[in-house]
């Protein structure tokens, strides 16, 4: 080992904090009921372990181990067993268990996670901005949601924190955080195996093995998962099933107990996904203000084209571009925890990569309008976090830390217009028109943060927090556009479809944010809190091309996006009743966001990607309830719900919805035509103040129950059980400016399980998901060019299968 490397390792060890040395733990740790017995031996949780009575759930949301009921944060916890039994094996499926969490994805790169309606702009991903929901895996921050679309492998628990967390977590997170904790290496030999099979050729295998390499000093854990499933959408033209799954994940952890008070963990992981994905296709048609001959029905008829079915839930398509969503991701991390008595020091060093190689059909139909749409991308990130957290309960508890983040992204975009482009886009000379985009991005962020908890009395505590943050972003965007003959001399019509652009945006900013929290213990089982947070989401740069002016030239003033400034207020109450057989937690929140980063589009015929702009004022407010009941030793019931009112308070120059787009631009003082008037007059922009934010349901619920009955099998004690999980979402808008054509209706889903399990041994169960075969859309979108075509991505149909797992 080189001298610098030796010095780095020594510094990491010397600066590392950690709780007690990791051991083989349960899925979600609980302590015995008396609140004072916080050091009691942990026992395994049951279904929805964080929600069930019978003990205190121990979490590390505030960078120390403590009861979830005593954490003055709106937080939900799901244990590894519950994840497996409910089929929630990735972030997307968590949404059926956590109503405040929304996840949208047209492909892994174009994914977004929102909490309470906030996090990332709704629409196609723009690499030049931050996500407002932080994803952490074993303390390591994942900078893009795409790099967190892996299958959960060997997961102990997942903590979902709602509201700003910038004074506790390395990266500033204005909407919340998803904290994924893996099972740690064990000094006791153990192994776990889980196998699942179902319809649509579904197969999933997960396994892990752990044990000592050197007794009481070095332990290792090896984990892996494999998921395959044929697609649910049949492509007649390609003669293949699309929207399939093909995922592989591997992870290694090595724990070195260097001293009784010092642990060092080295971890490495690799994930590969190669599905035939992701197709969006005909959902419906709406009227726009383009001339009738230039709307979808007339354009398709002129080409002699008809979609295979106008019922999207027939699940057939004929898109004519090969689909691919291949990605590989992984990384290395070194975590050191050093208990120095009064405090625990922690160092987390991590390097991660993400390689993305897609192919999409961005005209969404079987005509060669856009024959190639691909943006291969390579991301690298380096993070370093140093943190100190006080041990035990003192008059003053604290967490202080420093965080550094460096990210690079290189993208090579390619878009090619096909033979049908001139007629379909009403733009001569666009057949063979090609854009080659070279995009570079560098992102640096550094921060110091801290939070102090002053226990004024045994029941009252005050916890102020502060964060000082610096962000710097630099980009380089070059789009070279050539005609079918290879010329770079373009007509105005050609530039209106693919415009050559070159710009180098840059953003940098210092900001100081903070929060204050008041918590009061009314009793050992009733806890209240009040929080105010002033948070900041970094500004950004547009890396998907800029909108054009009347002369089809890029508007350089739109190259950067201002930071979001957040004022957040929250009132919470956490209760356990009836000898802790009932848990009811309530939270009311109000969040104002100024300079909200919104995805918008412009009126170009061939624009396939949106760009970012700032909406002056957005507000989200609501009430959440998390509840669980254990009426008997055999029955567990839970019900969670959220009411969210998320709206644009002021956004007077927003893009217009499809029904007001595509017509002649209104002159000064000229009134716009009624929505959907062919050949009408379109406003230059629209006032959407008061409209709901996209992607947010006003009402969302998750609920379920499990009943078990003791029985012996082969002489071993166990339980037969029946489980049910349900969820409901009310309608939501799928367009940045609400449209009558892109509202997604409310829907409910029901899942059932029936099985048998032995304590700490085998678990065999049959499962039925979307049991009533509910037809619903996950997303709707508009075809470029204001043609009126609305395309959709349907949710999974009914699936069924069986799972067997065992541990030894």
């Amino acid at each position: 080992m080189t001298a610098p490397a030796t010095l780095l390792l020594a510094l990491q060890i010397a600066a590392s904090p950690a709780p007690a040395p990791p051991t083989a733990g349960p899925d979600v740790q609980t302590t015995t009921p008396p609140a004072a017995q916080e050091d009691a031996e942990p026992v395994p949780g049951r279904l929805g372990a964080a929600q069930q009575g019978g003990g205190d759930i121990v979490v590390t949301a505030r960078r120390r181990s403590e009861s979830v009921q005593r954490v003055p944060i709106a937080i939900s916890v799901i244990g590894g067993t519950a994840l497996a039994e409910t089929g929630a094996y990735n972030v997307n499926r968590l949404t059926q268990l956590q109503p405040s969490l929304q996840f949208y994805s047209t492909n892994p790169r174009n994914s977004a996670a929102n909490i309470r309606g906030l996090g990332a702009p709704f629409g196609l991903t723009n690499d030049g901005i931050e996500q407002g929901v932080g994803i952490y895996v074993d303390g390591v921050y994942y900078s893009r949601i795409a790099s967190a679309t892996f299958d959960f492998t060997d997961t102990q628990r997942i903590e979902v924190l709602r509201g700003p967390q910038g004074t506790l977590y390395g990266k500033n997170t204005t909407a919340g955080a998803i904290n994924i904790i893996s099972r740690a290496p064990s000094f006791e030999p153990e192994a776990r195996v889980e196998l699942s099979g179902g319809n649509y050729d579904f197969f999933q295998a997960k396994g892990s093995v752990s044990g000592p390499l050197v007794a009481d000093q070095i332990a290792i854990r090896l984990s892996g998962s494999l998921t395959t499933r044929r697609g649910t959408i049949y492509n007649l033209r390609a003669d293949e099933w699309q929207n399939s799954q093909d995922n592989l994940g591997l992870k290694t952890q090595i724990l070195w107990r260097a001293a009784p008070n010092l642990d060092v963990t080295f971890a490495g992981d690799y994930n590969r996904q190669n599905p035939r994905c992701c197709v969006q296709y005909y959902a419906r048609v709406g009227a726009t203000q383009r001339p009738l001959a230039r709307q979808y029905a007339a354009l398709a008829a002129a080409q002699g084209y008809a979609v295979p079915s106008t019922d999207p839930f027939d699940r057939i398509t004929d898109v004519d571009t090969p689909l691919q969503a291949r990605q590989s991701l992984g990384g290395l991390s070194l975590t050191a925890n050093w208990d120095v008595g009064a405090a625990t020091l922690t160092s987390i060093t991590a390097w991660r990569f993400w390689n993305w190689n897609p192919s999409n059909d961005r005209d969404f139909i079987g005509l060669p309008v856009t024959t190639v749409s691909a943006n291969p991308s390579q991301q690298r990130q380096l993070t370093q976090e140093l943190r100190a957290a006080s041990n035990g309960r003192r008059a003053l508890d604290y967490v202080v830390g420093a965080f550094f983040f460096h990210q690079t992204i290189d993208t090579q975009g390619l878009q090619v217009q096909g033979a049908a482009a001139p007629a379909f886009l009403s733009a001569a000379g666009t057949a063979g028109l090609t854009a080659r985009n070279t995009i570079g991005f560098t992102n640096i962020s550094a921060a110091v943060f801290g939070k102090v908890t002053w226990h004024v009395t045994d029941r009252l505590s005050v916890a102020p927090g502060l964060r000082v943050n610096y962000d710097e972003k630099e980009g380089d965007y070059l789009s070279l556009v050539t005609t079918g003959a290879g010329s770079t001399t373009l007509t105005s019509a050609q530039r209106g479809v693919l415009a050559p652009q070159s710009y180098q945006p840059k953003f940098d900013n210092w900001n100081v944010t903070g929060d204050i929290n008041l918590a009061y213990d009314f009793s050992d089982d009733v806890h209240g809190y009040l929080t105010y947070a002033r948070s900041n989401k970094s500004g950004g740069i547009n890396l998907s091309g800029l909108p054009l002016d009347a002369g089809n030239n890029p508007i350089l003033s739109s190259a950067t996006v201002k930071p979001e400034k957040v004022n957040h207020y929250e009132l919470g109450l956490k209760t356990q009743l009836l000898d802790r057989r009932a848990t009811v937690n309530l939270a009311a929140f109000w969040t104002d966001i100024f300079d909200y980063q919104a995805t918008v589009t412009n009126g170009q015929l061939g624009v396939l990607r949106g760009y970012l702009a700032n909406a002056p004022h957005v507000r989200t407010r609501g009430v959440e309830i998390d509840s669980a009941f254990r009426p008997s030793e055999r029955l567990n019931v839970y019900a969670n719900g959220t009411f969210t009112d998320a709206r644009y308070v002021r956004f007077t120059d927003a893009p217009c919805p499809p029904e007001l787009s595509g017509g002649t631009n209104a002159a000064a003082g000229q009134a716009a035509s009624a929505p959907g008037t062919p050949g009408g007059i379109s406003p230059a922009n629209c006032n959407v103040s008061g409209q709901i934010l996209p992607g947010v349901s006003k009402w969302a619920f998750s609920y379920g129950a499990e009943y078990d009955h003791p029985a012996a099998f082969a002489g071993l004690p166990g339980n037969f059980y029946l489980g049910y999980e349900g969820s409901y979402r009310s309608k939501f808008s799928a367009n940045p400016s609400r449209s009558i054509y892109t509202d997604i209706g409310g829907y409910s889903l029901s899942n059932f399980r029936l099985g048998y399990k032995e304590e700490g041994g085998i678990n065999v169960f049959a499962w039925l998901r979307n049991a009533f075969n509910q037809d619903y859309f996950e997303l709707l979108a508009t075809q470029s060019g204001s043609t009126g075509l609305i395309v959709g991505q349907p949710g999974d149909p009914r699936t069924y299968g069986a799972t067997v797992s065992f541990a030894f």
Side-chain angles (χ1 to χ4, degrees):
M1 181 178 290
T2 64
T6 304
L7 178 60
L8 176 61
L9 177 60
L11 289 172
Q12 288 168 335
I13 293 174
S16 293
T23 59
D27 293 327
V28 174
Q29 294 180 348
T30 68
T31 59
T32 51
Q37 296 181 4
E38 294 185 354
D39 295 326
E41 184 71 19
V43 297
R46 306 178 64 179
L47 169 66
Q51 302 165 325
Q52 304 306 324
D56 286 333
I57 310 306
V58 176
V59 298
T60 55
R62 294 200 297 176
R63 303 311 197 187
R64 61 169 61 89
S65 296
E66 56 189 335
S67 165
V68 68
Q69 288 298 108
R70 290 177 175 268
V71 177
I73 298 172
I75 177 174
S76 300
V77 187
I78 308 170
T81 299
L83 291 171
E85 293 184 353
T86 59
Y89 58 82
N90 55 33
V91 173
N92 185 23
R93 291 174 178 258
L94 280 181
T95 59
Q96 293 188 32
L97 301 176
Q98 297 298 310
S100 294
L101 174 66
Q102 302 94 31
F103 181 85
Y104 308 101
S105 179
T106 55
N107 60 43
R109 179 180 182 271
N110 289 306
S111 300
N114 286 352
I115 292 176
R116 296 171 170 172
L118 302 177
F122 189 91
L124 293 174
T125 294
N126 192 311
D127 287 327
I129 64 161
E130 308 285 348
Q131 59 190 38
V133 175
I135 308 290
Y136 294 85
V137 180
D138 297 328
V140 176
Y141 173 70
Y142 283 37
S143 60
R144 308 306 312 176
I145 188 65
S147 64
T149 55
F150 55 85
D151 291 349
F152 300 144
T153 302
D154 214 13
T155 300
Q156 179 179 329
R157 70 180 184 275
I158 296 177
E159 304 169 358
V160 180
L161 288 74
R162 306 188 288 275
Q165 307 297 329
T167 60
L168 287 171
Y169 281 76
K171 196 74 174 70
N172 199 15
T173 54
T174 55
I178 301 173
N179 193 17
I180 301 171
I181 297 97
S182 303
R183 293 188 180 96
S186 169
F187 285 94
E188 294 293 329
E190 66 167 57
R192 298 169 182 262
V193 177
E194 178 185 308
L195 300 173
S196 299
N199 62 332
Y200 293 98
D201 300 330
F202 175 75
F203 175 74
Q204 187 174 73
K206 294 185 177 184
S208 67
V209 60
S210 186
L213 292 179
V214 178
D216 298 327
Q217 285 190 305
I218 300 176
I220 188 171
R221 190 174 201 94
L222 303 174
S223 309
S225 68
L226 174 69
T227 303
T228 61
R229 191 190 74 177
R230 78 160 171 83
T232 57
I233 311 297
Y234 185 65
N235 188 322
L236 296 171
R237 186 181 300 268
D239 189 24
E240 71 174 12
W241 290 94
Q242 295 177 335
N243 287 10
S244 62
Q245 297 180 25
D246 183 4
N247 305 336
L248 171 69
L250 302 170
K251 185 168 186 175
T252 300
Q253 300 177 80
I254 300 175
L255 167 65
W256 174 33
R257 187 164 293 168
N261 62 340
L262 175 61
D263 297 333
V264 179
T265 301
F266 171 79
D269 67 278
Y270 172 80
N271 292 269
R272 187 270 302 151
Q273 300 177 18
N274 190 26
R276 292 295 178 192
C277 183
C278 300
V279 62
Q280 295 172 275
Y281 58 96
Y282 182 103
R284 61 178 70 120
V285 174
T288 72
Q289 293 191 333
R290 290 182 74 172
L292 200 59
R294 294 175 58 196
Q295 296 196 36
Y296 173 79
L299 292 169
Q303 297 292 305
Y305 172 76
V307 294
S309 173
T310 56
D311 181 354
F313 298 106
D314 285 345
R315 299 180 184 271
I316 57 175
T317 184
D318 65 344
V319 295
D320 56 345
T321 296
L323 298 181
Q324 178 175 291
R326 182 179 179 86
Q327 63 173 341
S328 59
L329 51 134
L332 303 171
S333 67
L334 185 66
T335 301
N337 289 302
W338 186 19
D339 185 344
V340 295
T344 296
L345 308 178
T346 300
S347 171
I348 305 174
T349 306
W351 172 85
R352 297 201 61 78
F353 73 90
W354 173 60
N355 297 324
W356 170 239
N357 187 14
S359 176
N360 307 297
D361 191 317
R362 283 299 178 195
D363 57 52
F364 309 111
I365 56 177
L367 286 176
V369 182
T370 301
T371 55
V372 178
S373 177
N375 284 270
S377 186
Q378 304 83 41
Q379 174 192 271
R380 304 293 181 266
Q381 74 167 62
L382 176 68
T383 56
Q384 173 65 60
E385 183 168 355
L386 298 173
R387 192 173 63 243
S390 59
N391 289 332
R393 179 170 171 139
R394 303 167 182 271
L396 286 176
D397 294 332
Y398 62 86
V399 176
V400 295
F403 179 77
F404 175 78
F405 168 78
H406 182 270
Q407 175 193 37
T408 61
I409 302 178
D410 292 300
T411 302
Q412 309 82 42
L414 178 64
Q415 182 176 324
V416 181
Q417 301 302 120
F424 209 85
L425 301 178
S426 302
T430 52
L433 194 67
T434 301
R436 292 177 173 85
N437 304 330
T438 304
I439 308 169
F441 178 60
T442 301
N443 184 6
I444 296 174
S445 181
V448 291
F449 57 90
K451 194 172 186 71
V452 176
T453 302
W454 173 32
H455 299 285
V456 182
T457 70
D458 288 342
R459 295 189 179 276
L460 175 66
S461 63
V462 181
L466 189 69
R467 181 184 185 91
V468 180
N469 205 94
Y470 174 74
D471 294 290
E472 179 181 301
K473 296 179 173 67
E474 293 187 16
D476 191 334
Y477 184 94
L478 173 63
S479 180
L480 177 65
V481 181
T482 57
T483 67
S487 172
T488 57
T489 302
L490 307 178
T491 66
S492 178
Q494 290 169 332
R495 291 172 63 89
V497 173
L498 293 176
Q501 298 188 23
S502 178
Y503 60 99
Q504 294 78 39
K506 181 176 181 179
F507 170 87
D508 65 272
N509 176 254
W510 284 92
N511 62 81
V512 179
T513 57
D515 57 31
I516 187 166
N517 174 278
L518 301 178
Y520 188 78
D521 298 335
F522 295 96
S523 69
D524 287 343
D525 293 326
V526 180
H527 314 278
Y529 66 90
L530 176 66
T531 298
Y532 167 73
R534 172 72 171 181
S535 190
N536 182 285
K537 180 180 172 184
S538 170
I541 57 180
N542 272 305
L543 285 178
S544 296
L546 301 180
L548 305 182
D549 59 20
N552 284 329
N553 296 307
I555 303 172
L556 295 178
S557 61
S558 62
T560 59
V561 191
K562 291 184 288 187
E564 290 183 358
K565 296 173 283 294
V566 178
N567 283 328
H568 173 76
Y569 311 85
E570 185 164 336
L571 177 66
L573 183 68
K574 297 188 172 186
T575 68
Q576 288 183 300
L577 310 168
L578 304 175
D579 195 24
R580 301 197 175 187
R581 291 184 177 273
T583 298
V584 180
N585 295 338
L586 299 167
F589 61 91
W590 184 302
T591 307
D592 287 297
I593 308 96
F594 300 94
D595 292 323
Y596 173 81
Q597 295 166 358
T599 298
V600 300
T601 58
N602 65 28
Q604 291 171 253
L605 296 180
V607 171
L608 298 182
R609 298 187 177 276
Y611 65 99
L612 293 169
N614 292 105
H617 186 188
V618 159
R619 182 215 65 221
T620 179
R621 61 185 177 184
V623 178
E624 299 167 332
I625 180 170
D626 294 310
S627 65
F629 307 93
R630 195 176 178 187
S632 72
E633 291 298 316
R634 298 300 167 197
L635 178 63
N636 294 305
V637 180
Y638 73 91
N640 307 321
T642 178
F643 165 79
T644 307
D645 179 21
R647 297 181 179 273
Y648 298 106
V649 176
R650 185 163 62 90
F651 196 8
T652 58
D653 59 349
C656 293
E659 54 267 36
L660 284 172
S661 302
T664 304
N665 289 334
Q670 189 176 27
S673 303
T677 302
I681 298 173
S682 294
N685 49 53
C686 286
N687 183 354
V688 299
S689 302
Q691 290 188 10
I692 60 174
L693 288 183
V696 188
S697 295
K698 178 174 288 188
W699 298 97
F701 300 97
S702 65
Y703 37 85
E706 180 178 297
Y707 178 80
D708 61 44
H709 185 76
F713 183 76
L716 298 174
N719 293 282
F720 286 103
Y721 63 93
L722 174 65
Y724 168 79
E725 293 86 40
S727 63
Y728 169 79
R729 290 193 65 181
S730 62
K731 72 177 179 180
F732 63 94
S733 168
N735 199 64
S737 296
R738 191 176 183 186
S739 166
I740 59 174
Y741 306 130
T742 55
D743 270 2
I744 294 180
Y747 59 88
S748 60
L749 301 175
S750 292
N751 306 328
F752 294 90
R753 294 172 289 110
L754 176 64
Y756 174 82
K757 57 185 169 185
E758 298 170 358
E759 290 297 331
I762 194 168
N763 185 3
V764 182
F765 61 96
W767 44 264
L768 179 64
R769 296 169 187 150
N770 190 4
F772 304 113
N773 205 27
Q774 171 74 58
D775 289 334
Y776 67 101
F777 286 109
E778 292 184 341
L779 285 173
L780 290 173
T782 58
Q783 187 185 49
S784 61
S786 300
T787 69
L789 176 62
I790 308 299
V791 298
Q793 181 169 298
D796 278 351
R798 179 191 295 121
T799 59
Y800 53 84
T803 296
V804 56
S805 65
F806 49 92
F808 52 89

